[in-house]
Amino acid sequence: MRNFEAAVDELIGQIEPEGYEFNETARSLATIALHDVELRYGENSENPLSQHNAEHALDVAGRAIELTNLLYKFIPEKYQENIYELALLVGVSHDWEQMLASGNERASADYLISLIEKTDDKEINNDWFKARAENGVMATEYEINDDGIINQFNLGRGKPEDGEEPDPLEFIVAFADINGIAMEGESRMSEDVAGLYIERCQKKGENPSEEGLRGFIDYQPTFIKSQLDDEHMKPIIAHYFHHLEPEDEEKENPVYEALKNKYNPNIRNSYKKAWKLRNTPELIKGFGEVVHRADVLGISDRLGSIVDRIKTD
């Protein structure tokens, strides 16, 4: 089993604001949550999942910390308080529950709140921190509409009034959860496409097939465009960073500019690779066999290696 305490310390070490003092109780709770997720969905568990496991939890937490570093100077001061503790805890806990037909995020939020309430540390065991943690987990909840588009429907609720800004934590963890390819680059596609497809088959009780994988691969360009084009991103950024919206319509919100400058090369290359995947059906030949539970992770790795061999140039 991976050393989760060391992994958490590594993530905390990536926090950039000088002098930020990370809460020790939150550090301990993050380690506990990772162990719990591993026991529920790790390779040796009763329900091993190829995607929503402890590694995914660490990945999301790491991306949330990276995104918080990028946007920290744009976050209102009151929301800067404990935001790294929240990013880490929400990241590692948001998929604690994965086996319900609906309500996984609600159950995961309740789990995180229960962890916090077991401590006597008033810096985090208070109504303000717990409400932000709950809203952060719930921001990752999603539905898939009739067009196959993922909608994180809890994002952007309500309207800023009287200068009151929504909590940017919600935007950060929701973005970090589903945009690993945008943040980490096209190499991430191999892990995500393979892991998500195999896990979807697991949960539905279906055998992976070439036809099913083809449909999943064909969806990837649509996913990238629907989640990351300006039409989708700008209104969400304007909601969570309304105080930075320029009066001049010719100018952009600096949060949009920061995200574009950081991640647009990844997004463009990933979109290009997604189209190559669609147009290279011969590369998935031979993966229509029945997959037994004991071999779930091995099959996922083999699919991932095929996806990874596709070059964008």
Side-chain angles (χ1 to χ4, degrees):
M1 183 180 290
R2 182 169 178 178
N3 185 337
F4 291 124
E5 186 173 2
V8 166
D9 286 343
E10 183 179 349
L11 291 181
I12 293 172
Q14 295 171 11
I15 294 172
E16 291 182 356
E18 187 175 352
Y20 192 97
E21 295 184 9
F22 196 91
N23 180 277
E24 183 64 25
T25 304
R27 172 185 172 275
S28 298
L29 294 185
T31 303
I32 292 170
L34 284 166
H35 277 287
D36 286 349
V37 172
E38 178 69 12
L39 288 172
R40 291 167 70 83
Y41 307 121
E43 186 173 359
N44 297 317
S45 70
E46 292 185 3
N47 296 295
L49 296 180
S50 58
Q51 182 70 13
H52 290 99
N53 48 39
E55 289 302 317
H56 170 71
L58 277 168
D59 288 341
V60 173
R63 292 195 294 265
I65 287 174
E66 176 186 316
L67 203 52
T68 303
N69 285 337
L70 180 67
L71 303 181
Y72 189 79
K73 65 183 179 181
F74 303 122
I75 297 171
E77 185 175 354
K78 73 172 185 176
Y79 288 128
Q80 288 179 343
E81 182 180 356
N82 291 129
I83 193 164
Y84 284 101
E85 287 85 352
L86 286 158
L88 178 61
L89 287 173
V90 171
V92 299
S93 303
H94 75 286
D95 283 329
W96 174 83
E97 179 58 73
Q98 277 295 297
M99 305 309 291
L100 300 178
S102 63
N104 287 322
E105 290 78 11
R106 176 72 269 162
S108 299
D110 291 344
Y111 162 78
L112 177 54
I113 298 305
S114 73
L115 271 187
I116 295 169
E117 290 181 340
K118 290 176 182 176
T119 78
D120 57 5
D121 188 335
K122 298 304 180 184
E123 182 182 342
I124 66 171
N125 189 2
N126 60 70
D127 291 343
W128 169 249
F129 188 95
K130 288 188 291 184
R132 295 182 70 192
E134 177 181 7
N135 290 337
V137 174
M138 296 307 295
T140 68
E141 189 172 16
Y142 71 92
E143 62 186 4
I144 301 177
N145 67 22
D146 293 339
D147 296 324
I149 304 301
I150 290 178
N151 174 30
Q152 292 175 310
F153 53 85
N154 287 325
L155 281 180
R157 293 174 298 179
K159 295 182 179 180
E161 295 177 357
D162 302 323
E164 183 73 14
E165 292 297 319
D167 190 349
L169 173 74
E170 299 172 17
F171 169 78
I172 287 169
V173 294
F175 189 93
D177 184 24
I178 67 171
N179 289 305
I181 294 172
M183 293 185 67
E184 298 181 34
E186 63 180 271
S187 61
R188 181 80 208 184
M189 193 176 294
S190 59
E191 266 186 78
D192 286 358
V193 170
L196 284 168
Y197 173 66
I198 293 297
E199 185 174 305
R200 186 178 70 171
C201 292
Q202 289 176 262
K203 290 180 176 179
K204 291 184 175 182
E206 299 175 352
N207 293 326
S209 66
E210 291 174 16
E211 181 181 2
L213 179 59
R214 169 55 44 204
F216 196 74
I217 286 174
D218 286 352
Y219 168 68
Q220 296 311 304
T222 301
F223 170 78
I224 294 171
K225 188 175 189 303
S226 68
Q227 296 302 311
L228 296 166
D229 66 4
D230 286 356
E231 184 178 351
H232 176 74
M233 289 298 301
K234 285 187 175 182
I236 295 176
I237 292 170
H239 178 82
Y240 284 101
F241 299 92
H242 184 74
H243 61 294
L244 297 174
E245 280 293 286
E247 294 183 6
D248 187 345
E249 294 182 358
E250 298 298 318
K251 295 183 178 181
E252 300 287 3
N253 190 307
V255 170
Y256 170 83
E257 292 284 7
L259 291 167
K260 181 178 179 180
N261 291 337
K262 177 75 172 179
Y263 300 120
N264 195 54
N266 286 345
I267 294 168
R268 292 173 65 89
N269 287 337
S270 297
Y271 188 70
K272 193 174 178 181
K273 183 168 184 175
W275 272 107
K276 281 210 168 186
L277 278 170
R278 279 188 80 164
N279 296 324
T280 319
E282 63 273 13
L283 285 178
I284 65 165
K285 292 292 183 184
F287 283 94
E289 72 268 26
V290 175
V291 177
H292 298 291
R293 190 181 75 167
D295 197 34
V296 162
L297 300 181
I299 292 296
S300 177
D301 289 344
R302 288 160 63 194
L303 281 175
S305 69
I306 284 179
V307 174
D308 204 39
R309 288 202 300 269
I310 299 176
K311 306 300 182 183
T312 57
D313 51 9

